[in-house]
Amino acid sequence: MPPSISIRNRMQSGSPVVQAPQPVQPPSGQQTGLKLLAVAILVFAAAIYFRPSYSAPGPGPKPTPDQHDDKREDAKPSPSPSSKKFEGKAVFLAPRSPMPPNAAKMLADAAAYRDKVGKDKFDYRNPDTKEDKSDLVIALVNKAQALGKSPPCVLWAPSVGKETAVDWPQSFEAFMNEVTK
Amino acid sequence: MADFEQTIVDGFTVGTGLLAPTESDSLLMASIQAFPDNLIYDPGDIQRLLDNNRWKLDEDKYSEFVRNQEQDGQCNCSANASGVQISALNQGFPVTPLSASFLYQLLTHSDTGTTLPSTFQALGDIGISPIEVQVGGMTKRLPNTIYSTRTPIRGELLEQAKVEAKRFRAVNLLKVPVDDFGKFKIVIATMLARKIPIVWAWHVGKNGTRIDGNGYMIVEFGKQGNHANLLVSAKWVGGSDIVHPVDMNSWGPTRNPIYGPPGPSWGRRGFAFATMEQVFSCAQVHQPYGIISINVDSNDSFYNDVLQAV
């Protein structure tokens, strides 16, 4: 269960302070002193209860308010968002025929994505690895092979980071996920 | 004076220019591979690839490429030049405006028109020159037409155009099988769903310069065909037709003046639907073919960047 939902449920049921069992009413005469004692105990208990959350931060991500709940001892920092942006150049290395429907859809999605974000963020080429015998295509295929893949595959040169070659993906979304994971 | 029949559209004289194939053309076509059965898509896949009226987006995108062949008989060269550009676009390549008149000049000695197979062969062997060519440190533009305007491409410009043409060659062309109408339809639908442009022929009759109220072209049946065009997209219709192709003509209106003067306004900004019966009407004489892929352009810096990065 995500921390935020856990907190929400807890807030709905009341805080531990509110839920703490009320002390049995003492006989009249000692009431004021016992009240003060009860308040002191509750304040002390609350201070003990909340102390770990606000201890001096060590190395690593600072906990967010949402991470502070009953299960905080077991809670692990949520993975930080990937620093890899999907920006770069892709060469889709495959024959133009045959081309299965999902590959045609993927290339159409790649074109639509390029139109959306602009060629400076994402650009691609789809040479015909079967029929185009030019030196350039041979060099591209050789590069992919040097990176451990053979057509059908994708050569990916990100704007930032190291270049890779990946197997031909099932969809454009799968390709984006693959190269940014 | 052109050797082929000319037609008047909105007061403009427009060219057609498709010749019947010769015996050698027929032999050439017989040697070309047809679209194989194992590449044919299921109708469900075709429908998915064409959903959300993709033809409208395609028309918008390709309207930039609409040409005006004016009075020259370079319909076939216009269709092929646009086909190579569209194939390039769909391979993710940068689009360079290509010259139909360059191809027409190489294939003819006068304004006689051309055959589909001769142009088909030239696409692979010669390629098509860009309209703008660098000569002596200057950018020079090839003329939109050569015969009616008496502006042949000559000298250094022609030589450089031949060199540049090698950058834009078709490397994979597949003809559409025409023996069976059912197979013809599913192959046409598959190719268009895959964004493969198809060069085809139809017959421009007395009403051919208009389209009907539903956006369909008017093809004269029972004739062998006198005009080549390009199928560029399709509308899903289901049933036995599967799709109705979208035709791109070469009679304007041009959006980009590099493709000629605006000219007459045919169809929806140069596009119209065709039924499968219309597309099939001249297919036995002029066998359509798809431009599956073109070669990579060695001048494209994209590849250098990728290879250096890798």
Side-chain angles (χ1 to χ4, degrees):
Chain A
M1 183 182 291
S4 58
I5 294 175
S6 176
I7 282 291
R8 193 177 306 121
N9 291 343
R10 193 160 160 269
M11 291 300 285
Q12 284 166 351
S13 62
S15 71
V17 175
V18 174
Q19 283 185 319
Q22 295 298 314
V24 177
Q25 289 294 319
S28 178
Q30 297 174 338
Q31 197 168 5
T32 306
L34 288 173
K35 271 186 181 174
L36 285 171
L37 182 62
V39 168
I41 289 168
L42 287 171
V43 168
F44 180 72
I48 293 290
Y49 182 85
F50 285 108
R51 191 175 57 178
S53 301
Y54 299 104
S55 59
K62 186 178 177 182
T64 61
D66 279 356
Q67 287 175 304
H68 173 75
D69 68 355
D70 286 339
K71 295 178 181 173
R72 66 196 180 284
E73 299 296 333
D74 301 326
K76 293 174 183 169
S78 58
S80 57
S82 173
S83 57
K84 283 186 176 179
K85 284 184 180 174
F86 184 73
E87 283 185 14
K89 296 179 175 179
V91 186
F92 295 99
L93 291 168
R96 292 282 295 171
S97 59
M99 180 180 280
N102 66 337
K105 175 75 167 61
M106 187 190 70
L107 290 168
D109 289 346
Y113 185 78
R114 185 174 69 175
D115 288 347
K116 182 182 164 191
V117 301
K119 289 181 181 175
D120 55 328
K121 301 275 192 232
F122 170 71
D123 203 356
Y124 78 98
R125 301 287 187 268
N126 176 217
D128 192 329
T129 55
K130 185 180 169 193
E131 303 295 340
D132 191 341
K133 313 289 187 194
S134 65
D135 292 345
L136 200 46
V137 173
I138 291 168
L140 291 163
V141 171
N142 287 343
K143 276 296 175 188
Q145 286 173 339
L147 290 166
K149 301 292 177 188
S150 293
C153 64
V154 189
L155 201 52
W156 172 245
S159 301
V160 177
K162 202 169 180 187
E163 62 286 347
T164 52
V166 297
D167 288 324
W168 191 267
Q170 284 299 306
S171 67
F172 185 61
E173 191 180 1
F175 170 65
M176 293 171 87
N177 291 335
E178 174 72 19
V179 298
T180 54
K181 74 181 180 186
Chain B
M1 182 65 186
D3 296 344
F4 55 86
E5 185 183 351
Q6 292 186 318
T7 311
I8 307 292
V9 182
D10 293 345
F12 291 83
T13 303
V14 294
T16 48
L18 182 66
L19 297 178
T22 62
E23 192 173 336
S24 63
D25 285 328
S26 300
L27 288 171
L28 171 65
M29 215 57 184
S31 69
I32 303 300
Q33 189 189 352
F35 197 83
D37 289 356
N38 63 348
L39 304 189
I40 293 172
Y41 287 178
D42 289 332
D45 287 324
I46 292 168
Q47 185 176 16
R48 273 191 290 280
L49 287 166
L50 293 171
D51 66 2
N52 299 321
N53 285 324
R54 197 190 85 193
W55 64 270
K56 289 181 182 174
L57 295 174
D58 289 341
E59 280 190 10
D60 276 349
K61 193 181 288 184
Y62 303 148
S63 63
E64 169 83 8
F65 304 154
V66 170
R67 293 166 186 269
N68 178 7
Q69 67 179 89
E70 303 179 72
Q71 294 177 37
D72 274 16
Q74 59 184 26
C75 61
N76 189 14
C77 300
S78 298
N80 279 281
S82 296
V84 169
Q85 289 183 197
I86 287 173
S87 203
L89 180 70
N90 292 322
Q91 285 181 259
F93 299 169
V95 175
T96 302
L98 301 176
S99 171
S101 63
F102 165 81
L103 204 51
Y104 194 45
Q105 178 167 318
L106 291 191
L107 291 173
T108 56
H109 298 291
S110 62
D111 197 4
T112 53
T114 53
T115 64
L116 288 196
S118 64
T119 317
F120 178 110
Q121 189 171 36
L123 274 191
D125 293 349
I126 302 168
I128 308 181
S129 169
I131 293 174
E132 292 184 327
V133 175
Q134 297 290 319
V135 178
M138 293 175 65
T139 301
K140 294 195 174 178
R141 186 175 284 193
L142 274 58
N144 186 53
T145 55
I146 49 172
Y147 291 116
S148 57
T149 49
R150 299 186 182 185
T151 52
I153 307 163
R154 287 184 173 143
E156 284 185 330
L157 183 58
L158 179 60
E159 292 311 308
Q160 187 59 30
K162 286 179 182 174
V163 171
E164 297 284 318
K166 294 186 189 336
R167 294 166 50 202
F168 304 98
R169 288 184 304 105
V171 293
N172 192 357
L173 299 161
L174 294 175
K175 63 185 178 186
V176 180
V178 294
D179 299 337
D180 175 80
F181 188 36
K183 189 171 176 181
F184 177 86
K185 288 189 284 192
I186 191 77
V187 168
I188 291 274
T190 298
M191 284 180 155
L192 295 175
R194 268 200 51 195
K195 301 190 172 190
I196 295 169
I198 301 168
V199 180
W200 73 297
W202 59 291
H203 199 91
V204 183
K206 63 179 180 180
N207 294 318
T209 56
R210 297 189 288 111
I211 63 170
D212 73 13
N214 295 316
Y216 282 75
M217 54 200 302
I218 299 173
V219 172
E220 189 164 313
F221 287 92
K223 299 283 181 69
Q224 69 172 15
N226 59 4
H227 191 43
N229 271 174
L230 192 67
L231 302 177
V232 295
S233 187
K235 176 173 72 169
W236 172 263
V237 295
S240 68
D241 262 12
I242 311 165
V243 303
H244 281 168
V246 171
D247 176 66
M248 184 166 84
N249 206 338
S250 49
W251 293 340
T254 56
R255 268 180 58 191
N256 184 340
I258 203 167
Y259 299 118
S265 182
W266 184 86
R268 296 181 302 273
R269 298 182 301 168
F271 301 90
F273 294 122
T275 64
M276 282 293 186
E277 191 182 11
Q278 289 175 328
V279 176
F280 194 63
S281 62
C282 301
Q284 301 286 345
V285 179
H286 305 280
Q287 190 161 3
Y289 57 87
I291 301 172
I292 311 291
S293 58
I294 69 165
N295 62 333
V296 294
D297 178 5
S298 55
N299 287 14
D300 184 357
S301 62
F302 176 96
Y303 299 105
N304 296 334
D305 293 348
V306 170
L307 288 168
Q308 282 169 6
V310 175

